[in-house]
Amino acid sequence: MLLCIDCGNTNTVFSVWDGTRFLCTLRTSTEHQRTADQYFVWFAALMAHHKIPVEITECILSSTVPRVVFNLRVLCDRYFDCRPLVVGKPDCLLPRPPRVDQGTQVGPDRLVNTAGAHDRHGGDLIVVDFGTATTFDVVAHDGAYVGGVIAPGVNLSLEALHHAAAALPHVDVSKPQQVIGTNTVACMQSGVFWGYIGLVRGICDRIRGEYDRPMRVIGTGGLASLFSQGDVLFDGVEDDLTMHGLTVIHQYNKDQGVI
């Protein structure tokens, strides 16, 4: 079985792929001090809870947090007796290399989203990922990542608002009943929810204008389904797009004889 690991700034996700489907998806907070032994105790306990044998034979890893990669490599080597494929490293091939400015290092999560989206939807896409940052990835007709946009994430914006303005409370992200809020919490929720609806629509419209050809918009990330309720923003919402992209890249490297 293949273990797919996606380490983001906030959460690290483990998904077990049996070749046809994901058997389970497990999530933990991203902490750079967590050791390989701690990862395994957590992982094995939850696998036992789901009644899935720990029979990992291959691993692929994507991480936007370089400090955690070492311990995740040790986890794969020590407990699964395999060397993980790390997206973004020279020995990990991509179905299509990114076409960006020379010397630019593209985030592994964006490369993985590109591969997963192209495999499921073809090219000429905008992938909107609601993570710690809200990212917009432009996928060309042949599946190459050709650039994008990075905006502050929804929860990051709420935290900044709460910490910078002493009178404003911390609020959860939700769709408000109406745009005009009649109390502080409702005003903040409306500003964040409808503000990000406008941000997504506006940026996607400008990308389409520059790209000058029809494009579909795919939403992913924890809040994608919430924002899809606000307006017709997306042509599709993919909850497991990043993990699917990891399986696509892993299979490509197997087909090329890299692993």
Side-chain angles (χ1 to χ4, degrees):
M1 290 190 291
L2 171 66
L3 175 61
C4 301
I5 306 174
D6 174 49
C7 179
N9 291 294
T10 304
N11 292 315
T12 299
V13 181
F14 288 61
S15 287
V16 179
W17 175 256
D18 71 353
T20 58
R21 64 189 180 95
F22 288 110
L23 300 181
C24 68
T25 296
L26 312 172
R27 187 180 301 267
T28 186
S29 58
T30 298
E31 298 176 5
H32 70 268
Q33 70 270 28
R34 183 172 287 151
T35 67
D37 301 330
Q38 289 173 316
Y39 277 119
F40 182 73
V41 169
W42 167 82
F43 178 73
L46 285 176
M47 290 285 280
H49 172 76
H50 288 285
K51 297 181 173 58
I52 301 172
V54 183
E55 297 177 353
I56 304 300
T57 57
E58 298 174 294
C59 297
I60 183 168
L61 163 65
S62 168
S63 177
T64 58
V65 186
R67 296 177 69 185
V68 306
V69 173
F70 175 77
N71 283 327
L72 289 171
R73 281 182 178 270
V74 173
L75 167 73
C76 298
D77 178 63
R78 180 179 297 168
Y79 290 103
F80 308 132
D81 194 28
C82 65
R83 179 174 177 268
L85 191 65
V86 181
V87 178
K89 298 298 183 183
D91 60 346
C92 178
L93 302 181
L94 299 172
R96 290 290 186 274
R99 294 196 290 271
V100 293
D101 294 342
Q102 187 173 2
T104 299
Q105 186 173 1
V106 182
D109 55 332
R110 308 185 80 176
L111 298 174
V112 171
N113 282 348
T114 296
H118 184 260
D119 182 69
R120 284 182 170 171
H121 301 279
D124 297 329
L125 303 174
I126 304 170
V127 180
V128 184
D129 188 350
F130 292 90
T132 304
T134 300
T135 59
F136 299 73
D137 302 325
V138 180
V139 184
H141 67 281
D142 63 348
Y145 171 87
V146 294
V149 176
I150 301 175
V154 179
N155 287 311
L156 194 63
S157 296
L158 276 173
E159 286 295 327
L161 195 61
H162 169 59
H163 287 297
L168 297 180
H170 175 80
V171 299
D172 294 326
V173 184
S174 63
K175 181 182 178 181
Q177 296 297 316
Q178 54 191 28
V179 176
I180 302 173
T182 54
N183 57 69
T184 301
V185 170
C187 289
M188 292 175 67
Q189 288 177 332
S190 184
V192 169
F193 184 84
W194 293 112
Y196 271 86
I197 292 289
L199 179 143
V200 171
R201 184 190 296 110
I203 289 179
C204 288
D205 285 347
R206 287 185 173 272
I207 290 174
R208 286 191 181 102
E210 287 188 10
Y211 201 72
D212 197 27
R213 64 192 303 170
M215 303 183 77
R216 286 170 294 161
V217 181
I218 307 302
T220 190
L223 294 174
S225 57
L226 171 66
F227 282 98
S228 67
Q229 301 174 23
D231 210 338
V232 184
L233 287 179
F234 309 120
D235 297 292
V237 174
E238 301 277 0
D239 293 332
D240 64 345
L241 185 65
T242 302
M243 308 316 287
H244 177 67
L246 286 171
T247 68
V248 171
I249 293 175
H250 184 269
Q251 186 61 51
Y252 180 76
N253 279 264
K254 289 188 75 171
D255 293 343
Q256 298 299 310
V258 175
I259 53 177

